[in-house]
C-alpha cells in the first residue's frame, strides 16, 4: 500500500528531529519544506538553513526550499504590532499559508509543521491558524502535538551535533532573549 505523503514545514533542524522520526514511525512519507522569512539576521538564517540541509541525508527525506529574505517588508508588516501574540499570529499565518499552498499544488495528502514541537510557541494559536487556512484551501492538516517528544528531540539533535539556536527567529525575539542582559548592561554603564 502506498504511504500517505505529508508535507512538513520545518522551522529549524533541531525541532525537526522528533517530528520526522514520529511521522516515519507512523508510516508517512515525509517531505520537508523550508520557508522561514522570519529568521534574522541573514547569517542566522543561513546557518539554520544549512542545518536543515543536513537532515536530507540524515533522514533520507526530500526538502523543498523557498529562499526569501524580505527583511524590510517583514518588519514593516509588524510595526505597531510588535506585541508577541499579534506578531506571532502574523508570522504563523505567513509560513502556514505558504505551506498550505505548496501542499495543495504538490498534491500532498497532509501538511503539518515542526512548530508544533516547540514548547515556546503559542500552540493553541498555531492550531487555530492552521485549521482555518486548511479549511480555506481545502487541504488536510495533520494535527500532532509533537511536544510530547520534547526531551527525546533535544537528545537526538545533540547526538547529531546540530546547531541549536537560543531565540525563536525574529529580531524582536532575539531582544526578548537578552532582556536580562540588557538590564545588566544598563546597571553596569549607568
Ligand atoms: S517570535 Fe518567532 S513566531 Fe513570533 S514573530 Fe518572531 S520569529 Fe515569528
Amino acid at each position: 500500500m502506498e504511504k500517505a505523503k505529508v508535507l512538513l514545514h520545518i522551522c529549524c533542524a533541531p525541532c525537526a528531529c522528533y517530528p520526522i522520526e514520529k511521522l516515519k514511525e507512523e508510516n508517512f512519507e515525509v517531505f520537508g519544506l523550508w520557508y522561514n522569512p522570519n529568521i534574522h539576521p541573514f547569517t542566522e538564517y543561513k546557518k539554520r538553513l544549512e542545518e536543515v540541509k543536513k537532515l536530507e541525508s540524515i533522514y533520507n527525506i526530500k526538502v523543498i526550499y523557498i529562499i526569501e529574505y524580505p527583511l524590510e517588508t517583514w518588519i514593516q508588516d509588524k510595526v505597531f504590532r510588535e506585541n508577541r501574540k499579534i506578531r506571532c499570529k502574523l508570522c504563523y499565518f505567513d509560513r502556514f499559508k505558504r505551506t498550505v499552498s505548496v501542499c495543495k499544488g504538490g498534491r500532498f495528502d497532509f501538511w503539518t509543521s515542526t512548530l508544533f514541537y516547540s514548547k515556546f510557541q503559542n500552540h493553541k494559536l498555531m492550531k487555530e491558524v492552521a485549521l482555518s487556512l486548511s479549511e480555506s484551501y481545502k487541504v488536510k492538516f495533520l494535527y500532532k502535538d509533537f511536544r510530547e517528544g520534547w526531551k527525546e528531540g533535544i537528545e537526538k539533535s545533540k547526538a547529531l551535533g546540530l546547531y541549536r539556536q537560543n531565540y525563536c527567529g525574529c529580531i524582536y525575539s532575539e531582544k526578548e532573549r537578552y532582556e536580562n542582559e540588557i538590564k545588566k548592561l544598563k546597571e553596569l554603564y549607568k
Side-chain angles (χ1 to χ4, degrees):
M1 207 175 83
E2 225 177 85
K3 290 181 177 180
K5 291 179 184 169
V6 59
L7 180 66
L8 176 68
H9 165 260
I10 298 178
C11 63
C12 64
C15 283
C17 295
Y18 180 78
I20 294 174
E21 289 184 8
K22 181 80 182 162
L23 292 168
K24 281 183 162 243
E25 205 179 285
E26 291 179 8
N27 214 26
F28 286 102
E29 189 178 359
V30 182
F31 293 80
L33 173 69
W34 168 268
Y35 174 64
N36 297 296
N38 55 304
I39 302 169
H40 311 144
F42 180 68
T43 44
E44 179 72 18
Y45 176 89
K46 197 162 166 266
K47 204 168 180 178
R48 294 192 202 181
L49 167 69
E50 284 164 356
E51 293 300 285
V52 167
K53 183 84 190 143
K54 292 181 188 168
L55 300 178
E56 291 183 4
S57 50
I58 294 173
Y59 288 110
N60 191 26
I61 58 164
K62 185 170 169 17
V63 179
I64 300 163
Y65 296 92
I66 299 177
I67 306 297
E68 288 182 14
Y69 193 69
L71 180 67
E72 297 82 354
T73 49
W74 195 95
I75 290 176
Q76 281 159 14
D77 194 40
K78 310 298 175 298
V79 174
F80 296 114
R81 302 174 190 177
E82 292 90 353
N83 169 281
R84 183 148 193 185
K85 196 171 175 190
I86 302 171
R87 74 166 197 264
C88 292
K89 188 175 181 182
L90 294 167
C91 188
Y92 300 146
F93 184 86
D94 176 28
R95 289 188 280 170
F96 289 174
K97 190 177 170 201
R98 190 62 77 92
T99 309
V100 159
S101 146
V102 174
C103 177
K104 196 172 175 79
R107 299 189 182 187
F108 291 94
D109 298 300
F110 300 95
W111 77 277
T112 190
S113 171
T114 57
L115 285 164
F116 289 94
Y117 164 80
S118 175
K119 281 190 169 180
F120 301 110
Q121 300 298 337
N122 188 330
H123 201 94
K124 190 169 164 273
L125 182 60
M126 287 194 300
K127 197 174 169 189
E128 280 167 21
V129 174
L131 287 170
S132 132
L133 277 165
S134 299
E135 205 184 316
S136 312
Y137 280 74
K138 308 269 179 284
V139 292
K140 286 184 192 154
F141 168 56
L142 183 69
Y143 174 66
K144 295 270 174 198
D145 189 348
F146 294 121
R147 291 175 298 183
E148 62 186 19
W150 179 248
K151 269 183 89 178
E152 208 179 313
I154 291 176
E155 279 157 21
K156 186 75 197 188
S157 66
K158 282 185 179 168
L160 290 169
L162 294 169
Y163 163 64
R164 300 178 50 78
Q165 66 275 358
N166 57 12
Y167 65 100
C168 184
C170 65
I171 203 69
Y172 306 111
S173 63
E174 199 247 14
K175 183 193 170 195
E176 285 158 2
R177 167 69 178 77
Y178 290 107
E179 216 73 84
N180 282 339
E181 282 206 34
I182 296 167
K183 276 185 201 152
K184 277 186 204 159
L185 270 188
K186 276 185 180 168
E187 281 301 307
L188 196 66
Y189 285 88
K190 80 176 178 190

